[in-house]
Amino acid sequence: MSLPSLFISHGSPMLALQPGASGPALTRLAQQLPKPRAIVVVSAHWESRELRVGGAAKPETWHDFHGFPAELYEVQYPAPGEPQLANEIVHLLAQANLPAQLDAKRPLDHGAWVPLSLMYPKADIPVVQVSLPSQQGPALQARVGKALASLRDQGVLLIGSGSITHNLGELDWQATPDRIEPWAQDFRDWIVDNLAQHDHAALHDYRRQAPHAVRNHPSEEHLLPLFFAEGAGHQLKVEHSGFTLGALGMDIYSFT
């Protein structure tokens, strides 16, 4: 059983309670896929200097945000970990000359549990997180994805969780769903076009080549998981496309 790799724009933590349009898209996608035996997630919210792999047998649900309604802090996602898989990931990374350390205490951050709560609400599939060395850029994430790609043939679902656009300072909280900032749309379309053409050189140099790149991503951490997902797969399929709040892209991509 071979699974695709996925890139998920996870949006606000409130997605767990207010799924909007992308929540049902995540649910449909999970229903269409064979049930994974395990899930590996690279989240924008586990930035690190070096590669780390979550090895907890029972990772806690981390509400790593502030200022949201009390009911959101009550949401739990008690998926088990899988220490054996975490060790296998460390081994695969080492074979690719990508040394990584186990972290036996790391909880699941909202970049992992929020989308998974919509895809697999029973929380009955083991989840292992891999950290994001965000200062090392797209090329490293592509290497990590490639190093772990063989897990797809073992029934493991590889997910990069971030956002196709992510400038929280320019969101319009009054925007209707049909209002999209042209600078956000242009960036999103450039990324999709280059993914479809497999132009890795352009993609890895997106901050210079893509239109409005720095405006869409003042910092890189929310786009970098895309390169993990693309590195682990090949052929792009846009599973869902859309924006919320005028400029927050909610796209979901699969790579087979």
Side-chain angles (χ1 to χ4, degrees):
M1 177 180 69
S2 183
L3 290 166
S5 55
L6 305 178
F7 173 67
I8 294 171
S9 299
H10 60 247
S12 161
M14 285 298 292
L15 186 71
L17 300 179
Q18 299 173 355
S22 62
L26 286 169
T27 301
R28 287 192 302 270
L29 178 57
Q31 292 170 346
Q32 292 165 5
L33 295 173
K35 185 176 179 179
R37 75 164 183 87
I39 300 168
V40 174
V41 182
V42 171
S43 164
H45 297 281
W46 188 6
E47 294 185 76
S48 62
R49 291 181 61 86
E50 307 295 340
L51 278 166
R52 301 183 69 81
V53 179
K58 295 181 179 180
E60 296 181 3
T61 303
W62 187 16
H63 300 85
D64 54 327
F65 42 74
H66 304 281
F68 288 89
E71 59 184 322
L72 185 58
Y73 297 90
E74 297 173 3
V75 176
Q76 295 291 313
Y77 192 75
E82 189 173 314
Q84 183 175 348
L85 175 59
N87 278 287
E88 183 179 357
I89 289 169
V90 170
H91 177 68
L92 288 170
L93 291 170
Q95 287 185 318
N97 293 315
L98 295 167
Q101 299 293 321
L102 281 173
D103 185 333
K105 296 182 178 180
R106 175 73 188 186
L108 297 181
D109 62 59
H110 78 270
W113 66 261
V114 166
L116 291 179
S117 71
L118 298 168
M119 297 178 74
Y120 302 106
K122 293 182 180 180
D124 58 350
I125 302 172
V127 180
V128 174
Q129 277 199 243
V130 177
S131 76
L132 181 75
S134 54
Q135 299 305 309
Q136 298 188 46
L140 175 69
Q141 285 307 301
R143 289 178 62 199
V144 173
K146 186 175 181 180
L148 302 187
S150 63
L151 294 174
R152 294 175 44 217
D153 294 328
Q154 301 175 31
V156 177
L157 183 62
L158 303 182
I159 298 176
S161 178
S163 189
I164 192 62
T165 63
H166 194 261
N167 185 337
L168 302 185
E170 292 208 46
L171 299 184
D172 182 353
W173 298 89
Q174 309 303 321
T176 57
D178 59 345
R179 185 186 162 203
I180 303 171
E181 292 289 350
W183 52 268
Q185 184 74 62
D186 289 349
F187 176 84
R188 178 266 177 200
D189 291 348
W190 185 93
I191 290 288
V192 169
D193 288 347
N194 282 278
L195 287 171
Q197 296 169 25
H198 309 294
D199 192 339
H200 300 110
L203 287 164
H204 292 180
D205 193 33
Y206 81 93
R207 289 188 83 76
R208 289 197 309 153
Q209 296 192 33
H212 316 293
V214 176
R215 188 175 187 182
N216 279 279
H217 288 280
S219 56
E220 287 199 279
E221 77 285 341
H222 273 77
L223 191 64
L224 290 176
L226 168 65
F227 301 101
F228 166 73
E230 197 267 345
H234 181 68
Q235 192 62 42
L236 169 72
K237 180 180 179 183
V238 178
E239 302 285 354
H240 174 75
S241 182
F243 284 84
T244 186
L245 306 178
L248 185 61
M250 298 300 295
D251 283 14
I252 304 165
Y253 307 145
S254 64
F255 299 91
T256 53

